[in-house]
Amino acid sequence: MDTLTTAVPPEMKISLGPLHLANPVMTASGTFGYGAEFSNLVDLQRLGALVVKGISLEPRPGNPPPRVVETACGMLNAIGLENVGLDRFIHQKMPFLRTCGSRIIVNILGDSIDEYAILAEKLTLVTGVDGLEVNISCPNVKKGGVAFGTVPEMAAAVTRAVKNATDLPVIIKLSPNVTDIAAMAKAVDESGADAVSLINTLIGMAIDIHSQKPKLANIIGGLSGPAIKPVALRMVWQVARTVSIPVVGIGGIGTAEDAIEFLLAGASAVQIGTANFYNPAAAEQILTGIEAYLSRQGASSIHDIIGSLRTTI
Amino acid sequence: MDTLTTAVPPEMKISLGPLHLANPVMTASGTFGYGAEFSNLVDLQRLGALVVKGISLEPRPGNPPPRVVETACGMLNAIGLENVGLDRFIHQKMPFLRTCGSRIIVNILGDSIDEYAILAEKLTLVTGVDGLEVNISCPNVKKGGVAFGTVPEMAAAVTRAVKNATDLPVIIKLSPNVTDIAAMAKAVDESGADAVSLINTLIGMAIDIHSQKPKLANIIGGLSGPAIKPVALRMVWQVARTVSIPVVGIGGIGTAEDAIEFLLAGASAVQIGTANFYNPAAAEQILTGIEAYLSRQGASSIHDIIGSLRTTI
Amino acid sequence: MREYQENSVVQAIDRLSDSFHRLTLFAPRIAAAARPGQFVMASCGTTLDPLLRRPFSIHQAFADGALELLVKVIGRGTSYLSTLRPGAELSLIGPLGRGFHLTTHGPVTLVGGGIGIAPLLFLASHLPTDSKISTCTVLLGSRTNTDLLVLTEEFKQLGCQVRTATDDGSLGHHGFVSELLPAALPGAHMVFTCGPHAMMTTVARLCLDAGIRCEASLEAHMACGLGACLGCTIHGAGNTYRHVCKHGPVFDATEVAWTP
Amino acid sequence: MREYQENSVVQAIDRLSDSFHRLTLFAPRIAAAARPGQFVMASCGTTLDPLLRRPFSIHQAFADGALELLVKVIGRGTSYLSTLRPGAELSLIGPLGRGFHLTTHGPVTLVGGGIGIAPLLFLASHLPTDSKISTCTVLLGSRTNTDLLVLTEEFKQLGCQVRTATDDGSLGHHGFVSELLPAALPGAHMVFTCGPHAMMTTVARLCLDAGIRCEASLEAHMACGLGACLGCTIHGAGNTYRHVCKHGPVFDATEVAWTP
Ligand SMILES: Cc1cc2nc3c(=O)[nH]c(=O)nc-3n(C[C@H](O)[C@H](O)[C@H](O)COP(=O)(O)OP(=O)(O)OC[C@H]3O[C@@H](n4cnc5c(N)ncnc54)[C@H](O)[C@@H]3O)c2cc1C
Ligand SMILES: Cc1cc2nc3c(=O)[nH]c(=O)nc-3n(C[C@H](O)[C@H](O)[C@H](O)COP(=O)(O)OP(=O)(O)OC[C@H]3O[C@@H](n4cnc5c(N)ncnc54)[C@H](O)[C@@H]3O)c2cc1C
Ligand SMILES: Cc1cc2nc3c(=O)[nH]c(=O)nc-3n(C[C@H](O)[C@H](O)[C@H](O)COP(=O)(O)O)c2cc1C
Ligand SMILES: Cc1cc2nc3c(=O)[nH]c(=O)nc-3n(C[C@H](O)[C@H](O)[C@H](O)COP(=O)(O)O)c2cc1C
Ligand code: FES
Ligand code: FES
């Protein structure tokens, strides 16, 4: 280990089905804007992929304020899926994204299966879009999202509809607010998804005891950040043992150590979410840290550690 | 508010159905041993109730080590329900508990409905036992617990069996690892439970990247502490709006502010868990803090704030 | 417009009053790029709790790389900042957001309440010279006199005319600082304000009624400060949402829905 | 046996070597009750991260209320402790657990490795006087000489005979400290040991084979330190689980399953 090993950098390329990435470090939807917001602080070319804020067919104004609140080692958000809508995304956001040197994955959300299918179809025609991530799990909007992500049959239906509408690689993003995450992943796998990503936020709440009102105007919101990492890691491990498609690990990842835990648990790639807020350098530091770990382990490739958790079970 | 108001201390008595407590601050099962462990550090008489470590019919050795690991603002445990068993509990632990001046609630767990019923029946005859809390949610033991806590019909069956076996007040303790916590609570309410308590731990995991092994011998464990508070509060709010029986809030409560959030969300009482470990004075400080809050609010009774969250929904 | 993630070093910390601390940081890249009205996001701790950075207006920025923040202790993050000692590191992101417009020609009035005074000193020292510094009037309000004494002097040294108001009457006008504005409005070409929302609402209304352009620096809870999380929403005019970190923190008074 | 939750105050912090810091705390209630081999649970921070207290052996306790901890920096909690300055507060719970048996009559041998030396100084200074201090032999092992120099002197001042071993040979025997034990065993009535588990396993086996009573101070990750969480399990003899915080940390060597 301590000997002067070869200086050949470890192989970092990974594939999510047909989607090939230079490395496994992505930024998570809703936490990295449309990329431009971080362009002064992050070398976007170094990202394995950049997942944009969830896009719907029509623009959405989102929820009234307050929308964010800090919790112990985490935060709640009730953005309400504010986004510029498909057309403005294509015309105002894609031009920058096409030039930023990173793979671009568009996160989509809809109120109906049709909407998902139309989004997928239209985005297939947009130059520079490398893949789709389908948000079936956002807990913030009253109709739509929630049900898709908690009933295997509905998740399967969305998956099939999106797959039929596009030949882009399709990642289905799972909600953690379910009894049996493996069953959700299995349904999505069997319906043709190219990969699954998890977890989206846990549903949470906070109250201001002085005003005796919820701290979020929407009352409930999505919990993210280091607080949820143990739950995310457990679910990724369960799902990776269940499905045959690649798994993308998300939830509370802020350091290379965190990311490596997810890789060992079976994730082929990871997404950095809330950490971008408190440390914009996180994604780059994590990439560097994984490379250093591989070198220390004498591993020549990232694939040497994916799923290599040692258990007797 | 700032005027010299009367010095009459606010009314702190609450009832969980037939179980009457001097105040709403309890200690949570598994985090306060059998009471004696804290007797030098906490004035046990001040506790609204003391819930003992989960008891099974036979003694259980628990899981191999390591059993605990720290996480961001939380901890994972995989104790594996180690306990002295019913007989030794009655003969070795109850004598002290009878003298400690607090209400005693015995947390029970079983592998079958019969076991729950037998435990309830036998404990009914034990002097000094003021109520039962039924753990249908512990994620650590492979058979038993998990299923009861995630399927409404099974939770209902346990509830009925326990209620039939005892005339002690019965609190059913819910697992948060479900898609629909309100449905679980409703099933239990309709089956005759006197109260529900929630949440038990979220299922989580942690990995040691150096050894590439899980940090817990059991691989997965239960996440507790401040990290889970937003999820617990959301579930308590959802359940309190759904059931007609009293709700006991548990999860990440470490300060009076935390406890008051749960009371506002609709909990009639709270349990302090992990906080006992990092601050044994927590329960007493929380009791004092709630009283001070009520005085500041000009409230004469704890009932003035239970469920009084201001929302437009 | 560039932002930097910079590990600044504390050069000095001055306790101006019970409530206000002034932090002098060495942050050369941010200081060089900073413009009045912009802010930084500061890491208020070295662990994951508290997790998020906190926004602070740039109180002063100098050519030698010094950057000043005026911090009022209100919770855990600001308490942490108040305990920093010279030599300590403080991670900053900045300069962020849209600052004040410095293009006005003619007399200006600055209205600051409480910690809202913070960005106004940087503004006062960067007003265009052709607007003649002597025609800068500053109205400062606070709870009590001790919070204001040092700052009043500093505005005066910049050549501003200062009038003060305190809630307890211990200095200047006994009452709200906005009550000083009507007398100061005639002749003002532009008003800049920062302070409690209710105060800014009054100021904005007075200006709009008088047809005088007014810019206000707003607050909202922020997760990123970069326009990415969409968390820092306020109600904008015309039933829109605006994001304080990107569209602001400085808004033209006409852009804001002052009555929700 | 009473435990206390006590807000101690740092009186001094000495950096003994690159790895070892000695904290002198004023904790009169815990110091008065402490017995050799017991430990305290210390809050290693002022926020919720890190959340849990960390266990530390009592290194010395004095009648004037001073309590000493010997801390080796290995992670976040211990790093925090190494940055404490005189005057800082440190919340402790203690004294906890079952200490060493001081009832032996006759020569004793103490075997300490690395930070495991911590509880042995307190033990050495409290051995029953009728066992004659001159018959206390201390075997100390560490990575390198700098970690040991100060401590060696302190044991000598108590009248102990000290032999040392270092991994790098920079002081005393070049190798494991347990390799010094065979020569020191003959005539010993009892052996006390604390250090890495592998070292204690060797020591325990040598003692058990020689029929000499041996006590070892064990480690386990702990949430409460009070016997309540049941988290600090080790494999005990006869296929049992034992809890380090309550049944230990000091175990008779026969109580432990040394080969899981
Ligand atoms: C653009 C902008 C500029 C600011 N400039 C200054 C300044 O120059 N000096 C100064 O002392 N304060 C300033 N504030 C307010 C400052 O950000 C808050 O006082 C600070 O975040 C409180 O953090 P805390 O941890 O001490 O309080 P806590 O109440 O414990 O904070 C809890 C959470 O609420 C947020 N929060 C609480 N109060 C505010 C607030 N008023 N505005 C935004 N977020 C808040 C915190 O950031 C944190 O996420 C500014 C705020 C904004 C938006
Ligand atoms: C009875 C007992 C007495 C001890 N006495 C001393 C002493 O006198 N001086 C000293 O420097 N150290 C002592 N230790 C070890 C000390 O507790 C750990 O080094 C410390 O907990 C590490 O905390 P950290 O945050 O720096 O490390 P991290 O690795 O960041 O800690 C992460 C978690 O693991 C736990 N942990 C890590 N290592 C250990 C360990 N070796 N034992 C128990 N828990 C661990 C921590 O408590 C924490 O919960 C003792 C341990 C025990 C059980
Ligand atoms: C402010 C915010 C906005 C988010 N918006 C989206 C979104 O639009 N679509 C989506 O699929 N996930 C969204 N997420 C979820 C994140 O992508 C991620 O799944 C979650 O935050 C957990 O990861 P983290 O703990 O690293 O943040 C959002 C998260 C945050 C904090
Ligand atoms: C170490 C440990 C042991 C526990 N044992 C039990 C148990 O035996 N029975 C039970 O119903 N809950 C048990 N719990 C769950 C707690 O009672 C509580 O529901 C949970 O920890 C959430 O509360 P907290 O965040 O305040 O700790 C245990 C929790 C911990 C941390
Ligand atoms: S704070 Fe994140 S968008 Fe403004
Ligand atoms: S540390 Fe909790 S029982 Fe030992």
Side-chain angles (χ1 to χ4, degrees), chain C residues 215-239:
Chain C
E215 285 190 343
S217 180
L218 268 63
E219 288 192 356
H221 286 220
M222 294 185 175
C224 72
L226 298 166
C229 75
L230 308 180
C232 58
T233 318
I234 55 152
H235 291 280
N239 204 20

Side-chain angles (χ1 to χ4, degrees), chain D residues 10 29 35 37-38 48 52 55 59 62 70 100 103 121 124 132 142 147-148 150 163 171 173 204 225 233 247:
Chain D
V10 178
R29 289 184 297 167
R35 286 147 40 115
Q38 289 190 299
L48 294 175
L52 300 175
H59 179 52
F62 298 100
L70 190 66
F100 295 106
T103 50
L121 192 69
K132 293 216 204 81
S142 89
D147 288 346
L148 284 180
V150 182
R163 265 164 247 152
L171 188 75
H173 175 67
T233 318
H247 305 135

